Amino acid sequence: MNTFGIEASAKLFSIIRDENDIKTVLKGNENEPIFILGGGSNILFTEDFDGLVIKNEIQGFEIIKENKNFAIIESGAGEVWHEFVLKCIDKNLGGIENLSLIPGNVGASPMQNIGAYGVEIKDVFEYLDAYHIKDKKMRRFNAQDCKFGYRESVFKNELKGQYIICKVAFRLTKTHTLKTSYGAIENELHDMKKSNPSIKDVSNAVINIRQAKLPDPKKIGNAGSFFKNPIVSTELLNKIQSKYADIPNYPASHNQVKLAAGWLIEKAGWKGRTYENRYGVHKLQALVLVNYNQSKGDEILELSTLIIDDVKSKFNITLEREVNIL
Ligand code: FAD
Ligand code: EPU
């Protein structure tokens, strides 16, 4: 149940399919540590879980409101994200086509404000309903309440572990503004000979790029980018540029730039390194740590610490992990 393919077990395990299930499952387990599991695509288990794992399989797809320009769609947290994207595209609803093929479930999408190719979930987010485990109450969160940031939300920080996200609603368009300015998307659409692309074409372009770049978890265990791309001062960028003029960098807030962690890790010499033929740094994408065969979560965690220390000593940048460590 985790895309890293790490073996770990839970003392207690339950599946929830609706809000009533939550109450039933929690009854009598009030004092257990609780972990909510979606598709398991952003988790590294380093040990067994001595508590209750609740797998969220709440389904549902409903158009709540619509006019000629937009529609508000509510989705159950347990729906598979990519299938949700495809269903919306089939109904000519746009805004999430750039987020095609991101693994995992709809319920986890606000957790780290999933993003790819110039779009983040916050751009289309309307609200979510989440159940407070201790207070036993449902609460509605709007975008402001969620405190979205780059791979961040309130649920990864001050409200960590407190809520079960049950439903998420998105505001999607019927007349679309495509976001194709990412170089790779433009090139792919060009190769696909799509001069006037639809949202389906953009989705297909993103799928092609992702399949070429990222290892398929069904074949090689991984959780996507293991680290976040660091945001640093332009002063530090200038310093690094004096040695490496070609360092990729993207404007962030005032006097700050986002760097590519994959580039830093590659330049530090880690790309493709493999240990005991079991785990290592992916050959094509240095930002992705991989489990080739029966590795343990703590081995991968230790590798990530070595990488963090080395990048710090070479570039004076402290990489932060994106993956949730358990
Ligand atoms: P899980 O891994 O099951 O859980 C992640 C966290 O969310 C855990 O802390 C869990 O407790 C919590 N959680 C999950 N569901 C709920 C819920 N209903 N209520 C409360 N808490 C919950 N991410 C990106 O942003 N962009 C990408 O481009 C991207 N590419 C990826 C590519 C690959 C090959 C892989 C393997 C991963 C990639 N990811 C990417 C990371 C991952 O797909 C996302 O973080 C995704 O949203 C995780 O969903 P999940 O359902 O698998 O969550
Ligand atoms: N690069 C290298 N070496 C590498 C990998 C990348 O030099 O081994 C360079 C690339 O050449 C490029 C730059 O780094 O110049 C950025 O690479 P890429 O466009 O592949 O994106 P990324 O920074 O590696 C981020 C997200 C991905 C998301 C893509 C597309 C983060 C942490 N990662 O990856 O999200 O899909 O952009 O938008 O922000 C995830 O979060 O799990 C994830 C996969």
Side-chain angles (χ1 to χ4, degrees):
M1 292 185 174
N2 66 94
T3 61
F4 245 124
I6 301 289
E7 223 171 276
S9 32
K11 185 171 79 178
L12 298 162
F13 177 84
S14 220
I15 292 175
I16 51 167
R17 296 202 173 84
D18 59 33
E19 290 163 29
N20 284 333
D21 283 353
I22 300 179
K23 291 176 188 148
T24 314
V25 161
L26 292 179
K27 217 170 185 172
N29 287 318
E30 282 82 3
N31 297 323
E32 293 291 346
I34 287 174
F35 181 75
I36 311 301
L37 182 65
S41 64
N42 206 15
I43 299 171
L44 179 68
F45 285 101
T46 59
E47 55 187 11
D48 289 340
F49 187 72
D50 190 20
L52 170 63
V53 169
I54 300 177
K55 182 151 167 52
N56 191 323
E57 290 191 358
I58 300 175
Q59 306 293 298
F61 181 99
E62 199 181 337
I63 300 179
I64 295 296
K65 194 169 159 188
E66 65 182 317
N67 64 22
K68 65 180 192 334
N69 299 318
F70 70 86
I72 293 177
I73 310 292
E74 237 180 42
S75 170
E79 295 284 349
V80 172
W81 173 258
H82 181 57
E83 284 170 15
F84 172 71
V85 173
L86 294 182
K87 203 163 174 179
C88 292
I89 292 172
D90 273 353
K91 294 184 184 304
N92 190 35
L93 295 171
I96 48 177
E97 54 281 358
N98 295 44
L99 304 178
S100 296
L101 213 61
I102 295 183
N105 293 353
V106 170
S109 64
M111 286 295 299
Q112 67 160 11
N113 177 28
I114 55 167
Y117 301 100
V119 173
E120 288 181 331
I121 207 66
K122 71 167 173 44
D123 305 332
V124 292
F125 179 88
E126 189 70 11
Y127 59 82
L128 65 79
D129 289 342
Y131 187 86
H132 195 274
I133 295 171
K134 289 267 176 305
D135 294 350
K136 300 187 168 51
K137 274 189 201 135
M138 199 62 88
R139 174 177 162 193
R140 179 155 291 190
F141 289 76
N142 63 24
Q144 213 178 355
D145 300 327
C146 292
K147 299 189 184 169
F148 291 125
Y150 163 61
R151 298 292 189 274
E152 287 295 348
S153 78
V154 73
F155 302 104
K156 258 187 120 172
N157 294 293
E158 57 260 47
L159 299 183
K160 191 172 173 173
Q162 294 188 27
Y163 281 92
I164 304 176
I165 297 170
C166 297
K167 264 184 208 167
V168 190
F170 305 92
R171 176 182 288 256
L172 302 178
T173 56
K174 292 188 180 177
T175 46
H176 314 301
T177 313
L178 300 182
K179 288 199 179 164
T180 56
S181 58
Y182 243 74
I185 297 190
E186 272 177 358
N187 294 342
E188 188 61 33
L189 287 169
H190 182 261
D191 291 352
M192 290 162 62
K193 302 193 175 23
K194 300 287 180 186
S195 51
N196 186 18
S198 63
I199 51 174
K200 182 74 182 165
D201 295 330
V202 174
S203 168
N204 285 335
V206 168
I207 290 171
N208 292 345
I209 299 164
R210 294 182 68 96
Q211 283 176 335
K213 271 192 169 183
L214 289 161
D216 177 355
K218 288 198 188 91
K219 295 181 186 142
I220 304 175
N222 76 90
S225 302
F226 198 90
F227 305 97
K228 293 199 236 175
N229 284 328
I231 294 170
V232 305
S233 66
T234 44
E235 200 185 331
L236 181 56
L237 170 67
N238 294 339
K239 222 166 137 187
I240 301 173
Q241 273 174 329
S242 62
K243 191 166 171 203
Y244 300 103
D246 63 340
I247 179 171
N249 63 92
Y250 315 93
S253 53
H254 182 62
N255 277 341
Q256 291 198 309
V257 286
K258 195 191 262 185
L259 302 183
W263 184 93
L264 294 167
I265 297 168
E266 179 175 346
K267 277 285 173 285
W270 292 90
K271 193 170 182 170
R273 276 201 207 176
T274 303
Y275 297 83
E276 301 167 24
N277 286 327
R278 291 190 297 114
Y279 64 99
V281 181
H282 193 248
K283 293 183 189 72
L284 302 176
Q285 217 326 344
L287 199 42
V288 179
L289 303 190
V290 287
N291 168 20
Y292 291 110
N293 181 26
Q294 297 198 346
S295 55
K296 297 196 165 51
D298 52 6
E299 293 173 324
I300 290 173
L301 181 64
E302 203 182 304
L303 170 61
S304 74
T305 304
L306 293 175
I307 293 172
I308 291 172
D309 292 348
D310 196 39
V311 167
K312 172 77 181 163
S313 75
K314 289 182 172 137
F315 295 102
N316 197 22
I317 293 171
T318 306
L319 294 180
E320 266 180 61
R321 295 181 183 91
E322 177 194 299
V323 170
N324 299 281
I325 312 291
L326 266 167

